[in-house]
Every structure is written in structure tokens, then in C-alpha cells.
Amino acid sequence: MNRAQRAKLALTGAALSVGLLTAGCGYITPQQTNRQYSASDGIRADLGPLQLRNILIVSSGKDEPGRVIGAVYNSSSKDVTLKLNGAEGSQTEVPVKANSYTLLNESSDEAILSTSGGAPGSLVDVKVTEDGTNVSNTVKVPVVDATLPEYKEYLPAGSSPSASTSASPSSTASESATSSTASESATSSPSASGTGH
């Protein structure tokens, strides 16, 4: 083997080593795109044929009314109703057409709980039930207030704005930390991680 052949062989070996090393990083490092998560302030949950995306409660205080916003997708061939039961017997219903979705951010589909059940920045238990298959589950839903301007328009009528500004510093900090990682998400498909505000 002459000198030129040895040089070619060494270069080939070096290129193969670099290729294997960089491919190995992708093999052992988990891909974030393979993990489903909520890319915004709200939560996601699946319930029978219903897919809840970016669900959260906008309220000015624990004992104040809370508006549920987000999107509910129905993958079944029949109309269903999502029932939401919150704190102190508060409840609301969301009708969702077959193979369609309901955007709770729209004024025509307001879902109001008589009490949010938690201070802004907290998580509250909400029992969600789908009437088509009677599947139910209890999920922890975040409560936010009008500290972030994008939620101001969703405060239920009759809420006291002063309660919103009296949220504790720790809850406001928690909410700000949550919102700093938020990103806009598409609302046009059930596979979307969240919905836009």
C-alpha cells in the first residue's frame, strides 16, 4: 500500500468516525418533537372522542366567576356535550358538533363557572365529562387573571377588577413564569398542542 492509498484510507476512517459520533448524538438524545405537551398557558386532555386543548380559567379571584377558554375538538360522528364541574358545585356545558370543534375564546361560546375555585396562578380541580360515552376525568386547570393583557377581555362580566390586582406576588410570579414559556399554537387541527389566544 503506497502513501497516497494510506492517506485516503485515513481520511475515509476519520470521516466515518465523525459521522458515527454525530449520528450517535441524535440516537441517544430524546427528540422534543416526539413528546406532546401544552405549548401555552393552558392544559391539554383527551376524553373519549373529545380533545381539550389549551384549557384554562380566567378569573379575578378565588370566589369570583371564572371563564373557561381554549378549544374542544370532537372526532366522533355525533354531537356531544362536554360538562365541566368546578369548585363549590359550579358547572358549565360546552356543546361540540360532530367532527368539528368549539372555540371557547369566542363570545358566542362562553363557558362560565360561578366560581373559579382558586386564586390566579393556582391550579384547580375540574371534573370533565363527555356525555356521548359518559367518560369522565378530573384535571388540574390553571387559573389566570388580567395581569397578562391577552386575558383581560375574557374576565367574566361582574368580576371585580380590584380582586385581580390583589393577587399575591407568588401567584403572579408563577403565572409570569408559565407565560414566559408560552408560544402561539395553531387552532385549526386536533393535533395542535394548544390554541392561540
Side-chain angles (χ1 to χ4, degrees):
M1 184 179 289
N2 66 26
R3 196 174 192 175
Q5 289 174 324
R6 279 192 297 240
K8 281 184 181 179
L9 187 60
L11 284 173
T12 303
L16 183 61
S17 297
V18 169
L20 288 173
L21 285 173
T22 57
C25 290
Y27 179 74
I28 61 172
T29 304
Q31 296 178 3
Q32 186 63 32
T33 55
N34 287 340
R35 186 177 147 258
Q36 293 189 348
Y37 66 99
S38 292
S40 193
D41 297 329
I43 58 110
R44 59 180 282 134
D46 294 331
L47 191 70
L50 296 182
Q51 299 170 342
L52 286 62
R53 296 297 181 261
N54 198 27
I55 301 296
L56 54 86
I57 299 170
V58 182
S59 177
S60 57
K62 179 179 179 180
D63 299 320
E64 296 287 328
R67 178 173 174 184
V68 181
I69 63 170
V72 183
Y73 297 92
N74 179 5
S75 62
S76 75
S77 58
K78 65 178 190 173
D79 297 353
V80 296
T81 300
L82 172 68
K83 297 177 182 176
L84 301 147
N85 290 22
E88 299 175 21
S90 62
Q91 60 183 356
T92 188
E93 294 185 353
V94 178
V96 191
K97 298 281 186 195
N99 294 308
S100 187
Y101 60 90
T102 298
L103 295 178
L104 301 175
N105 303 28
E106 296 176 354
S107 58
S108 59
D109 292 309
E110 289 188 17
I112 307 288
L113 294 169
S114 58
T115 179
S116 67
S122 67
L123 294 171
V124 296
D125 287 335
V126 175
K127 182 179 180 184
V128 290
T129 307
E130 179 269 312
D131 73 343
T133 56
N134 284 325
V135 175
S136 67
N137 193 10
T138 299
V139 294
K140 293 201 172 289
V141 179
V143 179
V144 300
D145 60 11
T147 303
L148 296 173
E150 58 264 33
Y151 296 127
K152 187 173 186 176
E153 67 179 290
Y154 301 117
L155 275 176
S159 294
S160 95
S162 59
S164 173
T165 57
S166 65
S168 69
S170 61
S171 66
T172 304
S174 168
E175 179 184 323
S176 297
T178 302
S179 66
S180 67
T181 60
S183 66
E184 289 289 327
S185 303
T187 61
S188 59
S189 73
S191 63
S193 297
T195 62
H197 305 300

